[in-house]
Amino acid sequence: MKFASLRNGSRDGQLVLVSRDLRRAVDAAHIAPTLQAALENWVELEPQLQALYAQLQAGHAEDAFDFDPAQALAPLPRSHQFVDASAFLNHGRIMDEAYKLTIKKTPGMSVMVPRQGDDFRGPRGDYEFPDVEDQCDFEGEFAAITDDVPMGATPEQAQAHIRLITFIDDVSMRKHLIREIQIGFGLIQAKPATIFAPVAVTPDELGEAWQNGRVALDMRVARNGKAFGHPNGREMDWSFGELIAQVAYNRRLRAGFVLGSGTVSNRTYREVGSACLAEQRAVETIDHGEARTPFVQFGESLQFEVLDDAGASVFGAIDVRFVQAARAAG
């Protein structure tokens, strides 16, 4: 199944099911008013949602309409908990080599960062930030969304609670990153609101591309319409199940928990490019002694998309323009 939340004047949007080809949608509010409600009652509601999705796929769903991603919020517009991992160790290796970083790490465990969950951004429109001196960056990631996960879940048990997969642009402000890391109590100004793809899908929609808790598809990134990189998600050093189990070690995770994979990065980065501006700048620093690619400027746009082996879009596309934030009134 494929899910989206459309604008309807509320913060959580109107839950719809979206056809596999992303062309048509049908209102699912009579089953669950929001995606959060669906996740909280997944076992009970899944058969009804599956039946409606089958009708949509067959062209028999009453009141189906054309799906417009410009009307989409994030699939889950807000969450009680969003945690971002750093599950592609290649990304860290490049950054460490370029900048001689000494971030302490625990062997066998991914770095985890609690993130803002109350203001997920949709896939279209303008993204505001205050100042280009903040060094605006992008990070293409995959993300998993769960229903309730019990404390102490094994990786296999945790993976069974993954209900949806999507992808995100984890916007970062690099000027503030090292300062906040050195403080040691989390990231605030370095990590503003995250941008989500228009659609989240059940893992079965990925077919053979869902491999051992990983999304074995390219993360295609473009800057102002020009290709930037296309690393593949198969090289995650931990599966989503392993990452969720790490978070659930001593806590319950409630329905709507979102886990980001961290920047998608491949060992063949010189051939496939990067999904992150900082990584590209780090490679330039290694090769030339300095970074040559500028950070995101006002008026620039970023595009992200994931295609299946047949060339079809899986989650729809992110296409966002970055603009200067207006000053708060008063």
Side-chain angles (χ1 to χ4, degrees), residues 17 19 23-27 52 55-57 59-67:
L17 285 163
S19 62
R23 294 180 179 178
R24 300 283 282 171
V26 64
D27 187 357
L52 181 59
Q55 293 174 19
L56 179 64
Q57 282 298 108
H60 300 150
E62 294 184 8
D63 300 321
F65 54 91
D66 290 342
F67 176 62

Side-chain angles (χ1 to χ4, degrees), residues 267-284:
R267 289 180 289 276
T268 55
Y269 60 90
R270 293 189 183 278
E271 288 76 42
V272 303
S274 300
C276 170
L277 182 52
E279 182 174 299
Q280 173 64 29
R281 288 171 56 86
V283 172
E284 293 168 348

Side-chain angles (χ1 to χ4, degrees), residues 13-40:
Q14 170 193 358
L15 180 64
V16 299
L17 285 163
V18 181
S19 62
R20 189 166 289 120
D21 62 9
L22 304 178
R23 294 180 179 178
R24 300 283 282 171
V26 64
D27 187 357
H30 62 287
I31 300 174
T34 65
L35 186 54
Q36 180 64 35
L39 291 164
E40 290 176 358

Side-chain angles (χ1 to χ4, degrees), residues 5-188:
S5 295
L6 300 184
R7 301 179 189 278
N8 67 351
S10 74
R11 293 189 177 185
D12 296 304
Q14 170 193 358
L15 180 64
V16 299
L17 285 163
V18 181
S19 62
R20 189 166 289 120
D21 62 9
L22 304 178
R23 294 180 179 178
R24 300 283 282 171
V26 64
D27 187 357
H30 62 287
I31 300 174
T34 65
L35 186 54
Q36 180 64 35
L39 291 164
E40 290 176 358
N41 301 279
W42 188 267
V43 174
E44 174 189 351
L45 299 181
E46 183 182 18
Q48 300 174 60
L49 292 166
Q50 287 279 14
L52 181 59
Y53 186 64
Q55 293 174 19
L56 179 64
Q57 282 298 108
H60 300 150
E62 294 184 8
D63 300 321
F65 54 91
D66 290 342
F67 176 62
D68 180 4
Q71 296 303 311
L73 303 168
L76 185 68
R78 51 182 176 167
S79 171
H80 298 294
Q81 186 169 197
F82 170 31
V83 172
D84 201 17
S86 184
F88 291 85
L89 292 180
N90 183 71
H91 175 70
R93 284 191 289 265
I94 293 171
M95 302 301 288
D96 289 348
E97 180 180 353
Y99 302 118
K100 307 299 186 289
L101 300 178
T102 57
I103 299 172
K104 293 182 179 180
K105 301 172 184 176
T106 301
M109 298 182 70
S110 171
V111 173
M112 296 277 189
V113 180
R115 296 292 307 283
Q116 175 191 10
D118 60 341
D119 186 27
F120 294 154
R121 300 296 179 87
R124 299 287 193 276
D126 291 343
Y127 187 102
E128 299 180 337
F129 69 102
D131 195 330
V132 292
E133 295 302 319
D134 288 340
Q135 300 178 345
C136 181
D137 193 2
F138 51 88
E139 298 185 56
E141 306 185 14
F142 290 104
I145 304 173
T146 74
D147 63 0
D148 289 337
V149 181
M151 183 193 310
T154 66
E156 293 76 16
Q157 291 168 336
Q159 189 157 304
H161 286 279
I162 296 173
R163 298 309 182 189
L164 298 169
I165 300 293
T166 189
F167 75 86
I168 61 178
D169 172 10
D170 177 28
V171 179
S172 301
M173 300 295 164
R174 296 294 174 182
K175 174 183 176 181
H176 305 289
L177 185 64
I178 297 301
R179 170 179 58 82
E180 292 190 330
I181 287 175
Q182 290 173 337
I183 293 171
F185 283 93
L187 304 177
I188 302 297

Side-chain angles (χ1 to χ4, degrees), residues 218-291:
D218 288 354
M219 173 72 66
R220 297 176 180 269
V221 183
R223 183 177 186 178
N224 302 315
K226 182 179 179 180
F228 189 87
H230 55 95
N232 194 287
R234 69 167 60 92
E235 289 189 25
M236 277 177 68
D237 289 271
W238 293 274
S239 70
F240 273 113
E242 291 170 324
L243 295 170
I244 294 166
Q246 180 178 328
V247 182
Y249 167 73
N250 61 356
R251 71 188 70 190
R252 297 175 294 181
L253 306 178
R254 292 309 195 186
F257 170 67
V258 180
L259 179 74
S261 67
T263 303
V264 179
S265 180
N266 291 170
R267 289 180 289 276
T268 55
Y269 60 90
R270 293 189 183 278
E271 288 76 42
V272 303
S274 300
C276 170
L277 182 52
E279 182 174 299
Q280 173 64 29
R281 288 171 56 86
V283 172
E284 293 168 348
T285 299
I286 293 169
D287 291 349
H288 308 293
E290 63 178 2

